[in-house]
Amino acid sequence: TGTMSAWAIFNMMALSGLPGEPAYTLSTPVFDKVTIKLDPKYWGRDQLVIETERPSAESLYIGEMELGGKKLSRYRITHEELVQSGKLRFSLR
């Protein structure tokens, strides 16, 4: 059940992928903000933040995305892009 729980949490953070593939497909996040603590010795930074701007409870669709402060126009990113960016931001509509 641990693997299924981790998979469910990743999906709620808007990240889904295939086992063994270091990439994610992005979807609408459930959480407004998630902060993941990282080992700066390994990753070069101490955290990764995933934030969601949700105008209302009915806002279910992604309007815009930013990765590391830059507009993102694709729904697939690598693990390295995600961690190196430090921040993934969703604006829902």
Side-chain angles (χ1 to χ4, degrees), residues 66-78:
E66 290 180 2
L67 185 63
K70 297 178 184 173
K71 189 172 180 176
L72 183 64
S73 59
R74 55 192 161 91
Y75 291 89
R76 189 137 176 94
I77 60 172
T78 68

Side-chain angles (χ1 to χ4, degrees), residues 25-79:
T25 300
L26 304 177
S27 59
T28 303
V30 172
F31 303 116
D32 290 335
K33 184 174 183 179
V34 174
T35 302
I36 300 170
K37 299 293 181 188
L38 301 174
D39 182 345
K41 293 177 192 170
Y42 187 77
W43 296 108
R45 65 178 63 250
D46 64 349
Q47 66 181 11
L48 165 65
V49 177
I50 301 172
E51 286 185 330
T52 307
E53 179 184 314
R54 189 182 321 270
S56 71
E58 291 78 33
S59 300
L60 302 175
Y61 301 100
I62 298 171
E64 292 184 353
M65 298 178 292
E66 290 180 2
L67 185 63
K70 297 178 184 173
K71 189 172 180 176
L72 183 64
S73 59
R74 55 192 161 91
Y75 291 89
R76 189 137 176 94
I77 60 172
T78 68
H79 180 75

Side-chain angles (χ1 to χ4, degrees), residues 7-23:
W7 178 83
I9 296 296
F10 261 74
N11 276 282
M12 286 188 262
M13 291 188 312
L15 306 171
S16 62
L18 299 172
E21 186 179 339

